[in-house]
Amino acid sequence: MPEQRKTGGLDTPLSARARLFPRFNPNPDAFGSSTEKFARFMGTPQFLVYMTIFCIFWLAWNTWAPEGWRFDSAALGFTALTLMLSLQASYAAPLLLLAQNRQDDRDRVSLSEDRSRAERNLYDTEYLTRELASLRLAMQDVATRDYVRSELRNVLEELLETADGEELHLRAKNPRRKSGQPATGLIPQVDPNPTQHGTQGGK
């Protein structure tokens, strides 16, 4: 029969082995939020003012209070106050590091979102550029309003130049023709006795 392996050895995963103490797993979001709030409070002037007032009260009480009411010896250099401040500093440093790590994570997420947004904007810009280029290529074969206006203006100028040239040519052929007479090429007949025709008509 195959030999049964023992459970709880070094080759067994930690999750399968029995734990002496329950695993402490706090909510990282709630713990991190409270840590950031405390770290922000430690970086405010109010915290410095409160700590200064507390230390002054501690030193004054253990210096001038009655001997029986003192709880920290001034002769020993205020050992309890030094220990308390050391504990506060030892806990404040990890709390500040935890708050900084959370801020770094948020900055990293924000940076990745900004990068993805910039890439989308770049893709949209390239797409619009291609569309504009295709529209320009398509509009080369289409008569636009400005193009039609310019062509009509050119044709009108050519017609005016042609009319002026023909008028000058006819004037050169028939110099007696006045500007108000039609360009027929024939000299109009002038009646030598207009009064005689008028009297005949009156009769």
Side-chain angles (χ1 to χ4, degrees):
M1 295 180 65
E3 184 179 358
Q4 296 181 354
R5 299 178 62 182
K6 296 180 181 180
T7 59
L10 295 176
D11 57 346
T12 306
L14 185 61
S15 59
R17 288 186 291 174
R19 296 180 180 275
L20 297 177
F21 300 100
R23 185 176 180 180
F24 179 70
N25 189 12
N27 188 5
D29 293 334
F31 184 75
S33 179
S34 60
T35 301
E36 286 182 347
K37 291 180 180 178
F38 185 73
R40 290 193 184 97
F41 176 70
M42 290 180 65
T44 57
Q46 289 83 0
F47 178 78
L48 296 176
V49 171
Y50 295 155
M51 281 297 300
T52 303
I53 294 173
F54 177 77
C55 292
I56 291 173
F57 176 77
W58 184 291
L59 296 174
W61 181 268
N62 290 285
T63 302
W64 295 302
E67 190 69 25
W69 292 0
R70 298 178 186 177
F71 51 86
D72 194 5
S73 176
L76 298 178
F78 300 102
T79 308
L81 180 62
T82 304
L83 179 60
M84 186 183 65
L85 294 178
S86 299
L87 289 174
Q88 179 188 0
S90 62
Y91 276 100
L95 290 176
L96 294 175
L97 289 175
L98 180 59
Q100 184 178 359
N101 291 334
R102 285 175 59 85
Q103 184 63 35
D104 292 341
D105 294 338
R106 283 195 296 267
D107 293 341
R108 192 180 300 108
V109 172
S110 178
L111 183 61
S112 62
E113 291 179 355
D114 293 340
R115 187 182 296 109
S116 62
R117 189 180 299 108
E119 290 177 356
R120 288 195 300 269
N121 292 334
L122 179 60
Y123 295 152
D124 294 340
T125 305
E126 291 179 352
Y127 174 75
L128 292 175
T129 304
R130 290 193 297 269
E131 290 295 324
L132 288 175
S134 62
L135 287 175
R136 287 179 178 177
L137 293 175
M139 290 295 289
Q140 288 181 357
D141 299 332
V142 179
T144 60
R145 182 175 61 183
D146 296 336
Y147 176 76
V148 172
R149 286 181 177 178
S150 63
E151 291 296 323
L152 290 175
R153 191 179 298 109
N154 294 332
V155 172
L156 181 60
E157 291 177 357
E158 290 179 359
L159 290 175
L160 292 176
E161 291 177 358
T162 304
D164 294 339
E166 290 180 355
E167 186 176 358
L168 292 175
H169 181 67
L170 291 175
R171 286 182 180 179
K173 285 185 176 181
N174 190 8
R176 295 183 179 181
R177 185 177 65 87
K178 298 182 180 179
S179 60
Q181 295 178 352
T184 57
L186 299 176
I187 300 174
Q189 299 294 330
V190 180
D191 192 358
N193 298 318
T195 56
Q196 184 178 0
H197 288 284
T199 54
Q200 291 178 1
K203 293 180 181 181

